[in-house]
Amino acid sequence: MRTKSIKSKTINVVTLGCSKNLYDSEVLSGQLKASGKEVVHEGSGEIVVINTCGFIANAKQESIDTILHFVDQKQKGLVEKVYVTGCLSERYQEDLEKEIPDVDRYFGTQHLRHLLKELGADYKHELLGERVMSTPTHYAYLKISEGCDRPCSFCAIPLMRGKHKSKPIEDLVREAQILASKGVKELILIAQDLTYYGLDIYKKRELAALLKTLVTVEGIEWIRLHYAFPTGFPEEVLDVIRDEPRVCNYIDIPLQHISDRVLKSMRRGTTHTKTDTLITQFREKVPGMAIRTTLIVGYPGEDQAAFEELKAWVKETRFDRLGCFTYSHEENTHAYALIDDVELPRLWSYSLKFHGSLIKKR
Amino acid sequence: MCIVDRYEDGYFVARTEFDSPDVDNTVLIDAKKTFLAVGTFVYVEIVEASDFDLYGRVVEGL
């Protein structure tokens, strides 16, 4: 490879996993660009930064395959440096350092400053809200908080992202203004847990207040809510969705299951009855609102009765959008102590055939 | 009302407020009949539906 000076080397940021990771890559790229670095997203460059996912088995494998691919590229002389950051790196740094030592350096999710320094850039606090967008210019994700305080038994997120940390409303408004000035018309609010927003810094749930402020940002026409949590859902958010035309009649609220026994084992802090009450409240307060949910099938101990209860409930509830995932047995989670005893064929039967039949009915 | 996300395979791919990018349904508008700018809002009449997507044509504002 022809050698360029450090300054002129292109940094290729490769992102795996969810929209929250994409957001982090956009922030990283914004910081690099501000330090005069040439940055591409999913392109080609002498330096590669892989922002990994460590959430479930399939995602971890994809991240490992991607690391191995770029390590191979490095061994062939096609790239010079390979850095790994993100959730997989946070969760398994020591193991990765032993197993894939050809990576130049691993960084955790909280080590943006160190990663920037390694890449010859400085962290600039004044860049708060400045990102290099990788979505189409008319919509953008807005991460309103980081981490999660929920104790869900199956979830490895707190191991990788730490405790819940809300961003102040004024910072988010500033970020929204910057995005709007770049042509963004739709903001998609994301977090590990949207419902919890504000409890840490304002000592009360402040998602409704945040929405009421964001709708005043000139140029933003749609605001959409993703990753709400059912337990402790602040009712006043529904009033804002109903009354503010710029807040989409849409909510994404992962409910995971409906069997009381499974919900208790999952440590979700809710029940079948409470969940039904919440959905009824959604539909009464905001008629016509699209409700999106995601479910886990095959959780340890999910017997036939619990499975049939879930199926019947999905049929009755008639969600507008539904995603169905198979359980992933994750080490260091509470559920890892349980026996992963549900056979996969049943899961696929459910998630493919049943899902298809529901679509036709709607 | 829909927002136009992109052009793909002879269609403008749009979304209603009830659909999020990447994870939900889209509204497909025949690009042979209508030219649309990506990132704009348009009113669309739904004329057909498949399992995951809707087909529509652009109409005047309501």
Side-chain angles (χ1 to χ4, degrees), chain A residues 300-352:
Chain A
E302 182 204 53
D303 59 12
Q304 195 65 32
F307 180 62
E308 294 300 331
E309 184 181 351
L310 181 67
K311 275 170 64 178
W313 174 72
V314 169
K315 274 187 181 172
E316 286 163 19
T317 308
R318 297 176 66 86
F319 290 98
D320 300 275
R321 312 285 179 256
L322 176 76
C324 201
F325 297 88
T326 53
Y327 170 74
S328 182
H329 206 42
E330 293 300 315
E331 57 203 350
N332 296 320
T333 62
H334 185 77
Y336 199 65
L338 306 173
I339 299 168
D340 184 15
D341 57 354
V342 180
E343 293 173 5
L344 267 176
R346 194 183 84 186
L347 309 185
W348 287 116
S349 165
Y350 176 71
S351 58
L352 297 178

Side-chain angles (χ1 to χ4, degrees), chain A residues 6 13 35 50 153 161-162 316:
Chain A
I6 295 270
V13 178
S35 284
I50 308 164
S153 65
R161 293 282 175 173
E316 286 163 19

Side-chain angles (χ1 to χ4, degrees), chain A residues 178-313:
Chain A
I178 293 168
L179 292 168
S181 73
K182 292 178 178 174
V184 169
K185 296 173 182 173
E186 178 180 2
L187 288 179
I188 303 165
L189 270 52
I190 55 171
Q192 308 299 343
D193 173 4
L194 220 63
T195 307
Y196 199 92
Y197 178 78
L199 267 178
D200 52 333
I201 55 172
Y202 300 121
K203 308 303 171 199
K204 56 181 179 174
R205 297 178 198 274
E206 285 289 50
L207 181 58
L210 172 64
L211 288 171
K212 283 180 188 170
T213 314
L214 286 175
V215 295
T216 65
V217 175
E218 200 175 331
I220 299 298
E221 301 293 336
W222 280 0
I223 299 171
R224 184 180 299 287
L225 304 181
H226 266 262
Y227 307 111
F229 194 95
T231 310
F233 186 89
E235 193 180 333
E236 61 274 18
V237 169
L238 298 174
D239 299 327
V240 181
I241 294 174
R242 184 193 57 218
D243 298 338
E244 292 287 354
R246 289 182 177 182
V247 180
C248 293
N249 284 341
Y250 178 98
I251 193 149
D252 166 58
I253 184 159
L255 294 169
Q256 313 301 9
H257 213 281
I258 198 58
S259 153
D260 281 343
R261 195 172 52 75
V262 175
L263 287 170
K264 188 175 179 186
S265 178
M266 284 181 163
R267 301 173 147 201
R268 296 284 290 172
T270 190
T271 63
H272 189 144
T273 304
K274 284 181 183 171
T275 304
D276 280 346
T277 303
L278 185 66
I279 293 167
T280 301
Q281 190 183 31
F282 282 3
R283 288 179 166 154
E284 284 178 357
K285 278 217 160 194
V286 193
M289 178 170 72
I291 304 174
R292 175 183 178 80
T293 196
T294 47
L295 304 171
I296 295 172
V297 287
Y299 181 82
E302 182 204 53
D303 59 12
Q304 195 65 32
F307 180 62
E308 294 300 331
E309 184 181 351
L310 181 67
K311 275 170 64 178
W313 174 72

Side-chain angles (χ1 to χ4, degrees), chain A residues 138 185-186 226 249-250 292, chain B residues 5 15 17 19-20 24 39:
Chain A
H138 58 278
K185 296 173 182 173
E186 178 180 2
H226 266 262
N249 284 341
Y250 178 98
R292 175 183 178 80
Chain B
D5 276 338
R15 269 182 302 116
E17 73 170 289
D19 295 295
S20 198
D24 291 331

